[in-house]
Amino acid sequence: MTILTLNRPQITLISLNIEAIALGAYLVRDAFGGVIRYYTSTYHINALWYVPDAIAILCLVQFFVHCILRNRSTLALLVFVQIMLSLVLGYFMLGTVNAAVSSFKMMLPVFVGFCFCDSSLGSYRKLLSVIAVTFYLSMIGVFLTKFYLMPWVGYKYESFGAVREAGRLWWAYGGDDQRLMGFAADNTMAAFFILVSFAITSIRMSTTWCLLFGSVAIYAIKLTTSKTTMIVLVLYLLLLVFVRMLPEKSRFPAIRSIAQWSFASIFVPFFMIVVASGTAAVPHSTLFSIVDRINNSWQKPFIYLSQLMPIGLVTGCGAGCFNYPQQLFSPLAAFWVPVDNFYIGTYLMFGLPFVAFMVMVFRATFGATDVYKLTLLFVVNLFTITVLNYGPASGLLIIALSFSEVFSRRATSSRGTDVVPIVMRPPMRPLEEFRPDLPAASGGR
């Protein structure tokens, strides 16, 4: 370690743990999106809906200061430039200012998640309490909508000049079960918030608590009819019990290995296309949804892109294309297809640079020490097989948080010759004898 390294001037970060405030604000807004949309519109205070986005702009600044200037991460600089260029490309692709503004707003949660690069989610005590409360209330919301018709169901509101509608109460194909959407006003997102908040909360809870509330959560998700989410939660519970049965020294390595193997799910859609492409989708059947994805959702965007912008198959077509900004605000809305897969949807927007980024994300998992981020990697990799997860904003934020280790001081120093001192905090005393090393976070939580 050189004298220059020891005496390097420290850049002051935005205080108050702005990333935790932003995550909490997004989580509360989106998990209770139906309630908040309805009452802010009713009382003409719609501006409150955009408060988390305003906080996220501060996180964009913090990402630039912390990851690019302080950590001197070349990858962070390249990602920042790529996102900005993709926003410009998306503007020319989609053709309207509203689409460009919507695309910029859509990408803001990414910077919130990336700001967690040098800290463990477990060190944000108050934020963990907010997440735990979100878990309980999200389940209660689903149960309530089974028996009561909430006032926000079918409520229409205006956003950037486009009229949108809160989740309608409708029935799933192949059965009489209602697709209940709780306080989130969307059945898939109601299930997502139960899944993610449970996964985060369960890490510090006893196995008995996990089995008890995990069972209740599975039933709540069953009521939303989100099959993907229910499968992921069942797998998570089984693996949680399996890991806790291992000897203490083997538990954290097992968690890391599970997170790394979850990246194999990226290739599942391509395997399904090869095996089942062209299979006739039978309406109102159990497999209708997945067959429709195989034949349409995962393939048609590339067909349309080859017609609209052939070079986009390599460079991407810009932030917002084949996403809700195109659906709501672009003359190309007729070419919009619900992509229903995070990795395919993101590749369409960013092209080959996104592939290079994911290689670096995977590489960073070998040095990851945060059990929360590794757990979320497993959850989001499996969940996003059939979900784009760019809306609501919290979905994209959680993905970015799980990827954030790639910008950490640890990852940056391992890629370059510049020596960056890494201060390690003694590991927190975890329940069930998990003993990961937790990177020091800036400031108190």
Side-chain angles (χ1 to χ4, degrees), residues 156-293:
K156 295 182 179 180
Y157 56 91
E158 185 174 327
S159 178
F160 291 97
V163 177
R164 307 180 73 172
E165 184 174 345
R168 290 169 293 180
L169 190 62
W170 58 311
W171 277 257
Y173 287 131
D176 296 326
D177 293 333
Q178 298 174 354
R179 289 189 165 183
L180 303 178
M181 68 319 187
F183 296 128
D186 180 276
N187 69 300
T188 302
M189 286 300 102
F192 172 76
F193 289 119
I194 293 173
L195 169 66
V196 169
S197 57
F198 173 79
I200 294 173
T201 304
S202 67
I203 291 173
R204 299 300 177 188
M205 294 295 187
S206 68
T207 304
T208 301
W209 183 96
C210 293
L211 292 175
L212 175 62
F213 283 94
S215 301
V216 177
I218 290 172
Y219 177 68
I221 291 175
K222 181 178 184 296
L223 294 178
T224 69
T225 72
S226 179
K227 298 182 183 66
T228 298
T229 315
M230 187 166 64
I231 291 171
V232 175
L233 181 53
V234 170
L235 285 175
Y236 174 76
L237 267 179
L238 291 174
L239 289 171
L240 182 146
V241 173
F242 168 74
V243 168
R244 292 188 177 186
M245 291 173 62
L246 295 175
E248 178 185 341
K249 65 180 180 180
S250 301
R251 293 177 185 176
F252 187 72
I255 294 172
R256 179 184 286 165
S257 296
I258 291 169
Q260 291 170 339
W261 276 105
S262 71
F263 282 94
S265 63
I266 295 174
F267 304 101
V268 169
F270 305 101
F271 173 77
M272 289 183 173
I273 289 172
V274 171
V275 172
S277 183
T279 303
V282 180
H284 307 290
S285 65
T286 303
L287 297 178
F288 176 84
S289 179
I290 191 64
V291 174
D292 181 63
R293 286 178 169 88

Side-chain angles (χ1 to χ4, degrees), residues 342-387:
F342 169 76
Y343 288 103
I344 294 176
T346 307
Y347 179 87
L348 286 164
M349 291 191 288
F350 297 99
L352 285 179
F354 175 64
V355 177
F357 172 71
M358 287 310 306
V359 171
M360 300 306 294
V361 169
F362 179 74
R363 180 187 173 189
T365 61
F366 288 90
T369 58
D370 183 6
V371 67
Y372 287 91
K373 292 175 186 176
L374 292 171
T375 298
L376 289 175
L377 273 175
F378 168 80
V379 169
V380 300
N381 277 338
L382 269 65
F383 176 76
T384 55
I385 291 176
T386 61
V387 183

